[in-house]
Amino acid sequence: IAGIRLDKGADPADVKRKLIAGEDFEPPGEFVSIIGVVSPGTTNVIQANLRPGVYVLACFYGDRASAGHGHNEFGMVRQATVR
């Protein structure tokens, strides 16, 4: 899982849309690495030290079932706010 800490004024919905569409774009913010592997049917808990802000989190991992596409293209993209 990776995250983008969005710059102030950036539209999280627009970033999510572009990630799901698999668009190549310059994200409006700073990439942060949030490592955590989750297998189907399981739950994993990770601890991440993130600065306050709005983040868009996405899984760019691809597997055999995703035919070379990252999971972000299948909707594995979420918005989170860290206070």
Side-chain angles (χ1 to χ4, degrees), residues 33-48:
S33 180
I34 305 169
I35 306 293
V37 178
V38 180
S39 297
T42 67
T43 301
N44 289 17
V45 177
I46 64 167
Q47 181 176 342

Side-chain angles (χ1 to χ4, degrees), residues 42-59:
T42 67
T43 301
N44 289 17
V45 177
I46 64 167
Q47 181 176 342
N49 295 315
L50 301 173
R51 295 186 336 212
V54 176
Y55 290 78
V56 173
L57 309 173
C59 176

Side-chain angles (χ1 to χ4, degrees), residues 1 6-7 9-13 18 24 32 36 42-43 56 59-60 69-70:
I1 303 292
L6 300 180
D7 293 335
D11 181 4
K18 289 177 179 177
D24 185 17
V32 294
T42 67
T43 301
V56 173
C59 176
F60 296 101
H69 297 275

Side-chain angles (χ1 to χ4, degrees), residues 4-83:
I4 303 166
R5 183 178 181 274
L6 300 180
D7 293 335
K8 287 199 183 287
D11 181 4
D14 184 54
V15 174
K16 288 171 56 177
R17 181 189 59 75
K18 289 177 179 177
L19 289 172
I20 291 170
E23 290 184 25
D24 185 17
F25 71 104
E26 185 68 33
E30 167 189 13
F31 265 102
V32 294
S33 180
I34 305 169
I35 306 293
V37 178
V38 180
S39 297
T42 67
T43 301
N44 289 17
V45 177
I46 64 167
Q47 181 176 342
N49 295 315
L50 301 173
R51 295 186 336 212
V54 176
Y55 290 78
V56 173
L57 309 173
C59 176
F60 296 101
Y61 178 76
D63 56 22
R64 285 181 281 162
S66 63
H69 297 275
H71 292 159
N72 57 298
E73 294 183 40
F74 296 92
M76 198 169 175
V77 178
R78 297 292 182 266
Q79 177 183 335
T81 300
V82 176
R83 299 177 197 262

